[in-house]
Amino acid sequence: MAVSKKSPSTSNSHALLCPSCGREFAAEERFCDTCKMPLVPPGEVIEAPRSEAHERARKVDPRFTRGRLVRVAGAAQQPEAEMIQALLLDQGVPSVVRRSAGFDVPDFLAAGPRDILVPESGAETAREALYGAGFGSDIAVSSRPDPRQVALVVAAIFAGGGVVALLAWAISQIT
């Protein structure tokens, strides 16, 4: 259990401390810029995280928890999705990973694409964080296919079907 103690140099009774590194911040601040931990009043006892989930929850900025969930990124597999989640959590943005629709891979496998969802209030911050981390715009591509690509695939299927039908008709005429 970590305990924050008031230092003799603290002259402002409204100052806040980081429970992790012990740095002092102004009363207007809410999170340590180094540790990303919520700030607390001096002398307050800070409990050690009870679990990994509890430790992650302490890093979430309440400003980014409002609104419906929106997709901000996609990942090729579970490990990549977890890396993106960690990047977002460093910015205080909570996120949820779900298996992308339309892929039939057993749930116990890490393979298969994933969607990363965040509350609406944190979507812009999440996109900026991902862009700043070097992922650029290719990670925030929509999960919906381009209509032109769909049209090309449908045309190719019909063209292939026509060729097969023509070939079958030609064979039936020969025999």
Side-chain angles (χ1 to χ4, degrees):
M1 212 183 278
V3 179
S4 298
K5 296 181 181 177
K6 188 180 242 183
S7 65
S9 64
T10 305
S11 59
N12 184 356
S13 63
H14 299 306
L16 297 172
L17 297 174
C18 173
S20 181
C21 67
R23 289 180 50 209
E24 189 174 310
F25 291 87
E28 302 83 44
E29 300 293 324
R30 291 292 170 245
F31 291 89
C32 176
D33 55 2
T34 305
C35 307
K36 308 295 187 212
M37 293 296 293
L39 302 176
V40 297
E44 184 174 312
V45 175
I46 305 301
E47 63 180 297
R50 294 184 294 270
S51 66
E52 186 179 326
H54 183 236
E55 185 174 5
R56 280 192 316 263
R58 289 171 43 173
K59 293 181 180 181
V60 172
D61 189 335
R63 296 176 298 163
F64 302 136
T65 60
R66 293 177 184 81
R68 64 181 180 82
L69 292 176
V70 294
R71 183 180 186 278
V72 293
Q77 66 271 354
Q78 185 68 29
E80 183 181 358
E82 290 172 359
M83 181 192 69
I84 293 170
Q85 271 192 305
L87 285 170
L88 295 175
L89 190 58
D90 284 346
Q91 300 299 315
V93 180
S95 60
V96 175
V97 173
R98 76 169 181 208
R99 187 173 298 281
S100 296
F103 288 89
D104 189 22
V105 177
D107 285 335
F108 60 86
L109 292 179
R114 304 291 199 278
D115 293 329
I116 290 79
L117 309 166
V118 300
E120 280 180 317
S121 61
E124 188 62 32
T125 302
R127 287 185 182 105
E128 289 172 6
L130 293 172
Y131 186 77
F135 285 104
S137 61
D138 51 277
I139 198 157
V141 174
S142 172
S143 63
R144 296 183 184 196
D146 182 12
R148 292 174 292 180
Q149 289 177 333
V150 172
L152 284 173
V153 169
V154 169
I157 290 171
F158 279 118
V163 168
V164 168
L166 184 62
L167 196 61
W169 176 80
I171 291 173
S172 69
Q173 293 299 318
I174 293 173
T175 56

